[in-house]
């Protein structure tokens, strides 16, 4: 690891030296009136700074770029951030799978902590359910890569995604936007603001209805009257904001938001024909079969309050409080047949409350950020693993493994970070965060020789028996404390070139196994140590921006679920423990070039070499411990990704036309870490768009085509089969060939028109 960092250091300095020598000579020949790139401001270090002054690997995409590229949901941002994976999860449209630099969370079960933090206006979203946010009234999206344990705390060992909404201008504004597109897409958004007291009190609002037919259908359904659309969209969202500016030094914001996603449960694509019923491999990857209801729901609701006081020109106090809750009843048909072979109806129910008080101070030669933080969250759930066909084969009327429980936690933290200028060229950054976590959990787990659903009425005519149906197997609590430091050094070679090196530590919270079948101990926190060498640079009078980061990280005490053999195929015995370690090294480069006043070219590249170095397991028969890291691969992490883009503005007497195109490529990657049977080959997405802006500033229109070549690519799956030497498969849980894939969006075309009053 040290040798890798040393080699990267030499390479970084060599590149910077070569570029500096060439660019300084050429810049002298350029006129100051030449076109230049726009300044980008970010809040990666919890204070407003120029992107080029921040010694952090961060991608920022503003509202204009989001709109001009037709970006509608948070997951599309992955195309513009190197070594980043943001995908819709397996069974719903609203649950996110997020990985950065090979660190993330694949299983969205309650109690499992994410590796990438999601923030909306500095409010942390603890669970992945509902985190695939549709963009409404957004100012920018920031992607912070690498551990953010000092300023953002636990569960940001891969990085953090920041969704920043717009502050109000104080004027009366109203914007109406409509979109029509492929698969009968019909979206409607209405946003606006009204001053209640001039220059002091404003109210803002936003509502959205987002509708689309399915990309495929359920070819068979065991239940009558079910909506057979698959991969459809049915989302409504609303936001109300009250802002109060009593003076130039004071700012208050109260925000309420609610989102309801009633899109159907997603059915997976059978990669193997069923051996128990008539369910061949469908012709379309978006078609499926099911024995469960097709309805699904993800409901989010939250309120937040922000107070900001500029105590002086140099000192600011900021307080952020929030309360959020989500409720998600969902249907996941693992086997994707019209028989109840392996069905999992489930409920996720989460609540959280946060408080954060920040004190920031800026001097002539330093910047100081500090704060205290409190989090209180309840994460509960229930799922039924219905194996009715297997139960019938055993002579029972059905068979269900029921698991219910909660993982509730509190977290307290205090943090501080200072950046200090030693000279005009040299500066240092040092900070740390101390966190104390406490988690309390219970799990009920057991077999029921009947077919059981989470609630009465889940399927027509079903009445759930009263009382607890399975025994409590775990009831425990534990606490952990961690100190996560960050230290760095920056060298400002000249006004437009900064070199930096840093070390940062992050941790992912310890947790209890929500699927525990015995009173097993909690898994301890995961740790990541990260080293970065970077360059932030602008050349040729700010016509070319080149930001490059080299990183190396050591991921320790990885939490991993091991499946234990049981007496029958119905046993879902799983053990959670800290059994893994991995290492990663890579490069991230982001380039932007203003070729002319009207033409801008962009490029980004991410490479990563990530491997497990140790995965320990225990032979249940002999008790002997062994290393099985040769069977493991870092999931959802291509060896490289790149994006090439162009944006051209054509001025005319009827307004400006902006043409854009980008090509995004992901190398091959696996979907599962252990013995993955699902590998997605490398693929590219070609997207093009034309935008029009009227001269009076009222009208805009955009025509966007995405995935123009109609690529088919897997973003999730399930594997419950065992490969045999002859290339066939032995059936897994439920007795069927359950090898399932979920896919990204096909080719779509949409037209968006908006009017700003």
């Amino acid at each position: 690891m040290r040798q890798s960092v040393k080699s990267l250091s030499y390479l970084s300095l060599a590149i910077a030296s070569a570029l500096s020598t060439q660019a300084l000579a050429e810049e002298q020949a350029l006129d100051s009136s030449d076109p230049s790139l726009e300044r980008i401001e970010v809040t990666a270090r919890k204070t407003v700074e120029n992107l080029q002054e921040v010694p952090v690997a961060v991608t920022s995409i503003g509202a204009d770029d989001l709109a001009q590229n037709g970006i509608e949901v948070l997951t599309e941002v992955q195309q513009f951030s190197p070594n980043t994976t943001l995908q819709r999860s397996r069974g719903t449209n609203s649950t996110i799978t997020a990985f950065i630099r090979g660190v993330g969370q694949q299983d969205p079960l309650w109690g499992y902590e994410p590796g990438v933090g999601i923030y909306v206006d500095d409010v942390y979203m603890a669970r992945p359910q509902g985190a695939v946010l549709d963009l409404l009234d957004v100012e920018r999206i920031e992607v912070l890569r690498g551990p953010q344990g000092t300023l953002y705390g636990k569960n940001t060992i891969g990085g953090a995604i920041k969704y920043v909404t717009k502050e109000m201008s104080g004027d009366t504004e109203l914007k109406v936007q409509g979109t029509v597109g492929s698969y009968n897409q019909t979206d409607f958004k209405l946003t606006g603001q009204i001053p209640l007291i001039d220059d002091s009190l404003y109210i803002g609002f936003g509502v959205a209805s987002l509708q689309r037919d399915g990309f495929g259908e359920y070819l068979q359904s065991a239940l009558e009257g079910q909506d057979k659309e698959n991969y459809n969209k049915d989302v409504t969202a609303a936001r109300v904001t009250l802002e109060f500016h009593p003076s130039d030094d004071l700012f208050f914001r109260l925000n309420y938001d609610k989102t309801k996603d009633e899109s159907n449960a997603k059915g997976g694509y059978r990669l193997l024909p069923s051996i128990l019923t008539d369910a061949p491999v469908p012709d379309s990857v978006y078609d499926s079969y099911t024995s469960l209801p097709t309805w699904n729901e993800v409901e989010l609701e939250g309120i937040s309050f922000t107070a900001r006081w500029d105590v002086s020109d140099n000192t600011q106090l900021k307080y952020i409080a929030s309360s959020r809750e989500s409720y998600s009843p969902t249907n996941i048909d693992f086997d994707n047949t019209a028989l109840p072979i392996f069905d999992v109806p489930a409920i996720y129910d989460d609540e959280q409350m946060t408080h954060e008080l920040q004190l920031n101070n800026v001097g002539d030669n330093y910047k100081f950020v500090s704060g205290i933080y409190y989090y209180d969250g309840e994460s509960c759930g229930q799922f039924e693993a219905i194996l009715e066909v297997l139960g019938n084969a055993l002579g029972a009327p059905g068979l269900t493994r029921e698991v219910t429980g909660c993982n509730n936690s509190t977290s307290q933290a205090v943090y501080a970070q200072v950046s200090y200028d030693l000279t005009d060229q040299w500066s240092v950054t040092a900070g740390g965060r101390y966190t104390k976590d406490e988690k309390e959990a219970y799990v009920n787990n057991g077999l029921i020789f009947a077919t059981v659903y989470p609630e009465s009425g889940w399927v027509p005519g079903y009445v759930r028996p009263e009382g607890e149906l399975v025994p409590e197997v775990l009831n425990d609590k534990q606490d952990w404390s961690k100190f996560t430091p960050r230290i760095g050094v920056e060298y400002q070679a000249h006004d437009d070139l900064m070199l930096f090196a840093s070390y940062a530590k992050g941790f992912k919270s310890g947790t209890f196994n929500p699927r525990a079948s015995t009173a097993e101990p909690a898994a301890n926190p995961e740790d990541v140590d990260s080293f970065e060498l970077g360059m932030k640079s602008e050349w040729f009078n700010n016509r070319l921006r080149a930001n490059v980061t080299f990183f190396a990280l050591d991921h320790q005490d990885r939490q991993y679920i091991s499946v234990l053999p049981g007496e029958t195929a119905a046993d879902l015995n799983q053990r959670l423990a800290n059994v893994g370690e991995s290492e990663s090294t890579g490069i991230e480069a982001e380039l932007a070039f203003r070729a002319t006043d009207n033409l801008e070219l962009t490029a980004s590249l991410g490479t990563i070499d990530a491997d497990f170095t140790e995965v320990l397991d225990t032979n249940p028969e002999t008790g002997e411990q062994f290393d099985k890291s040769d069977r493991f691969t870092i999931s959802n992490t291509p060896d490289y990704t790149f994006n090439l883009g162009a944006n051209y503005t054509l001025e005319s007497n009827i307004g400006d036309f902006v043409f854009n195109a980008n090509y995004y490529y992901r190398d091959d990657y696996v979907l599962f870490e252990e013995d993955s049977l699902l590998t997605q080959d490398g693929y590219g997405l070609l997207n093009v768009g034309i935008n029009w802006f009227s001269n009076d500033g009222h009208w805009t229109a955009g025509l966007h085509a995405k995935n123009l070549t109609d690529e088919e690519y897997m973003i999730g799956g399930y594997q419950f089969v065992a490969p045999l030497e002859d290339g066939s498969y032995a059936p897994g849980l439920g007795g069927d060939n359950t090898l399932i894939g979920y896919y990204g969006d096909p080719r779509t075309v949409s037209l968006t028109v908006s009017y700003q009053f």
Side-chain angles (χ1 to χ4, degrees):
M1 179 71 72
R2 292 178 180 173
Q3 183 62 40
S4 298
V5 174
K6 187 175 181 181
S7 300
L8 293 177
S9 176
Y10 290 152
L11 181 58
S12 176
L13 291 172
I15 292 175
S17 176
L19 285 174
S20 179
T21 301
Q22 177 186 5
L24 286 174
E26 295 188 25
E27 282 180 3
Q28 295 174 358
L30 293 173
D31 189 271
S32 60
S33 62
D34 285 332
S36 61
L37 295 165
E38 293 182 358
R39 173 189 172 101
I40 300 176
E41 291 187 340
V42 297
T43 54
R45 297 196 294 180
K46 297 203 171 184
T47 185
V48 178
E49 298 175 286
N50 181 353
L51 174 69
Q52 298 307 104
E53 299 173 354
V54 180
V56 176
V58 54
T59 299
S60 180
I61 309 174
D64 291 342
D65 288 333
L66 292 168
Q68 290 178 20
N69 285 281
I71 297 176
E72 299 172 332
V73 293
L74 186 63
T75 51
E76 293 182 83
V77 171
Q78 79 165 8
Q79 299 184 33
F80 302 91
S81 178
N83 289 326
T84 299
T85 295
L86 300 173
Q87 306 278 25
R88 289 184 175 94
S89 194
R90 296 172 287 219
T92 76
N93 283 321
S94 298
T95 302
I96 199 167
T97 298
F99 279 74
I100 296 179
R101 294 181 177 175
V103 181
Q105 176 203 30
Q106 184 192 74
D107 194 336
L109 197 64
W110 69 89
Y112 288 166
E113 304 292 347
V116 175
I118 308 293
Y119 294 81
V120 179
D121 289 333
D122 288 329
V123 173
Y124 175 57
M125 296 185 65
R127 305 266 72 85
Q129 284 78 23
V132 178
L133 302 167
D134 287 275
L135 305 188
L136 179 64
D137 220 18
V138 65
E139 180 178 288
R140 67 182 179 275
I141 305 290
E142 296 178 14
V143 182
L144 285 61
R145 296 184 297 277
Q148 307 296 319
T150 299
L151 295 182
Y152 292 90
K154 65 176 186 176
N155 301 340
T156 58
I157 54 177
I161 313 293
K162 295 186 62 176
Y163 183 112
V164 183
T165 61
K166 299 175 182 176
E167 288 190 10
M168 297 187 210
S169 65
D171 300 324
T172 299
E173 295 180 3
L174 184 66
K175 182 178 181 180
V176 181
Q177 178 176 303
T179 301
V180 294
S182 306
Y183 301 95
N184 288 324
Q185 177 185 359
T186 53
D187 296 346
F188 175 78
K189 295 180 181 180
L190 176 67
T191 57
Q193 56 179 287
I194 301 171
L196 302 178
I197 301 175
D198 287 344
D199 301 322
S200 179
L201 182 64
Y202 324 122
I203 187 170
F205 57 88
V207 293
S209 172
L210 311 172
Q211 310 289 322
R212 190 199 65 232
D213 291 347
F215 300 142
E217 63 177 325
Y218 286 98
L219 303 176
Q220 298 177 18
S221 175
L223 301 173
E224 296 293 332
Q226 295 295 303
D227 184 348
K228 292 189 176 182
E229 286 190 276
N230 195 20
Y231 288 83
N232 71 326
K233 187 170 186 177
D234 182 1
V235 175
T236 55
R239 174 187 291 267
V240 179
T241 303
L242 191 67
E243 287 186 6
F244 183 42
H245 303 250
S247 68
D248 292 340
D249 300 330
L250 288 172
F251 169 83
F252 301 96
R253 173 193 269 186
L254 182 66
N255 182 78
Y256 169 82
D257 67 271
K258 184 172 184 177
T259 300
K260 192 168 187 177
D261 183 353
E262 296 183 292
S263 312
N264 286 349
K266 283 200 302 187
Y269 174 69
R270 287 196 63 90
L271 295 161
L272 298 172
S274 171
I275 60 175
L276 297 181
T277 188
D278 180 23
V281 175
D283 293 334
S284 168
V285 297
Y286 304 104
D287 287 346
S288 189
Y289 316 92
T290 188
S291 55
L292 281 172
T294 59
W295 56 261
N296 184 77
E297 183 178 320
V298 179
E299 187 170 328
L300 305 172
E301 191 170 14
I303 188 168
S304 64
F305 172 72
T306 301
R308 191 172 64 226
W309 177 30
D310 294 327
V311 181
S312 67
D313 290 341
N314 299 329
T315 303
Q316 182 185 86
L317 276 172
K318 187 176 182 180
Y319 171 67
I320 305 166
S322 74
S323 176
R324 298 196 66 83
E325 59 183 36
S326 67
Y327 177 73
S328 178
T330 186
N331 288 286
I332 308 172
D333 192 328
F334 276 57
D335 62 282
N336 290 276
T337 72
L339 289 180
I341 296 170
F342 187 6
D343 296 351
V344 183
I347 296 175
Y348 299 87
D349 193 358
D350 298 286
E351 296 181 5
Q352 68 174 68
M353 176 183 66
T354 64
H355 298 273
E356 183 171 8
L357 179 63
Q358 297 176 13
L359 171 63
N360 302 329
N361 182 261
V362 178
D364 292 336
N365 60 348
Y366 70 88
K367 293 179 181 179
F368 177 74
V369 179
S370 64
I372 56 176
Y373 180 80
Y374 177 78
Y375 167 88
D376 187 351
E378 298 181 1
S379 180
C380 300
Q382 172 178 347
F383 72 81
E384 323 291 332
I386 298 173
L387 310 166
E388 185 175 309
V389 172
L390 179 59
N392 295 160
L394 298 174
L399 183 64
T400 303
R401 167 73 70 171
E402 179 172 279
V403 179
T404 66
C406 291
N407 264 260
N408 302 330
S409 62
T410 60
S411 183
Q412 304 166 64
V414 56
Y415 63 88
Q417 180 170 291
V418 62
S419 296
Y420 185 80
D421 297 333
L422 300 172
T423 68
D424 289 342
Q425 291 183 303
W426 288 96
S427 61
V428 294
T429 298
R433 186 184 189 106
Y434 176 79
T435 304
K436 184 174 182 180
D437 276 4
E438 182 175 291
K439 184 165 287 190
E440 184 174 3
Y442 76 86
V443 178
N444 296 339
N445 190 335
L447 278 175
I448 306 167
F449 288 93
T451 298
V452 177
Y453 295 90
E455 295 177 339
S456 294
W458 196 279
V459 296
Y462 174 72
V463 178
R464 181 179 167 86
E466 295 183 0
E468 295 289 347
L469 303 185
V470 295
E472 184 177 84
V473 297
L474 184 149
N475 193 329
D476 200 356
K477 68 167 57 176
Q478 189 166 335
D479 60 77
W480 303 271
S481 59
K482 282 282 185 179
F483 177 69
T484 49
R486 180 182 183 89
I487 187 167
V489 59
E490 300 90 42
Y491 175 65
Q492 196 75 42
H494 59 78
D495 288 345
D496 296 324
L497 173 62
M498 178 183 70
L499 304 175
F500 65 90
S502 66
Y503 161 78
K505 189 178 186 68
F507 83 97
K508 177 174 148 180
S509 179
T511 191
F512 291 92
N513 183 3
R515 295 190 184 97
S517 54
T518 61
E520 64 183 75
N524 290 319
E526 297 183 7
D527 292 314
V528 167
D529 292 297
S530 174
F531 302 87
E532 289 186 357
L533 295 170
M535 175 183 73
K536 296 288 183 77
S537 63
E538 291 179 336
W539 313 93
F540 316 123
N541 279 353
N542 297 340
R543 289 178 60 185
L544 171 65
R545 180 178 296 135
N547 296 338
V548 182
T549 304
F550 306 86
F551 68 88
L553 64 85
D554 186 7
H555 192 173
Q556 309 156 35
D557 293 322
R558 292 183 65 131
Q559 301 164 4
Y560 186 71
I561 290 285
S562 292
V563 179
L564 303 178
E567 295 181 359
T568 73
D571 287 336
L572 288 173
N573 298 332
Q574 297 184 340
R575 177 188 61 206
L576 176 65
N578 302 93
V579 298
E581 292 188 9
S582 63
E583 292 182 350
S584 302
T585 58
I587 303 172
E588 293 162 353
E590 297 178 277
L591 308 174
F593 179 59
R594 176 72 70 177
T596 68
D597 281 333
N598 296 343
L599 176 62
E600 182 176 336
L601 306 175
T602 59
S604 64
L605 168 69
T607 70
I608 186 170
D609 181 10
D611 293 293
F612 280 91
T613 57
E614 182 179 77
V615 180
L616 299 178
D617 204 349
T618 302
N619 188 317
E621 297 180 357
T622 65
E624 181 181 356
Q625 194 173 67
F626 63 96
D627 182 2
K628 58 178 183 180
S629 56
D630 59 331
R631 294 166 50 186
F632 277 67
T633 308
I634 305 293
S635 69
N636 293 282
T637 304
D639 286 346
Y640 65 91
T641 61
F642 69 81
N643 187 36
L644 303 174
N647 187 297
Y648 180 76
T649 301
L650 176 66
E651 300 173 355
S652 75
N653 56 8
I654 61 171
D656 290 347
F657 291 87
V658 178
F659 302 84
N660 59 53
N662 79 287
Y663 179 75
Y664 172 65
Y665 186 83
R666 287 173 69 84
D667 194 23
D668 60 274
Y669 56 91
V670 302
L671 274 299
F672 291 92
E673 292 177 336
E674 183 176 9
D675 296 330
S676 181
L677 302 176
L678 298 177
T679 297
Q680 172 59 52
D681 293 334
Y683 67 91
L685 299 179
L686 177 61
N687 310 302
V688 297
I690 305 173
N691 301 274
W692 170 71
F693 302 88
S694 67
N695 287 325
D696 60 14
H698 292 304
W699 288 96
T700 62
L703 179 65
H704 299 281
K706 300 177 184 178
N707 190 6
L708 205 58
T709 57
D710 205 19
E711 297 291 319
E712 295 179 351
Y713 55 98
M714 274 191 294
I715 58 175
Y718 294 109
Q719 56 180 49
F720 290 93
V721 292
L724 301 175
E725 292 184 359
D726 62 0
S728 62
Y729 295 90
L733 191 64
D736 201 6
N737 284 338
T738 300
L739 188 62
I740 307 298
Y742 294 85
Y743 288 78
D745 292 0
R747 178 175 52 236
T748 58
V749 179
S750 64
L751 173 65
T752 298
V753 178
S754 64
Y755 183 79
Q756 177 92 39
F757 289 89

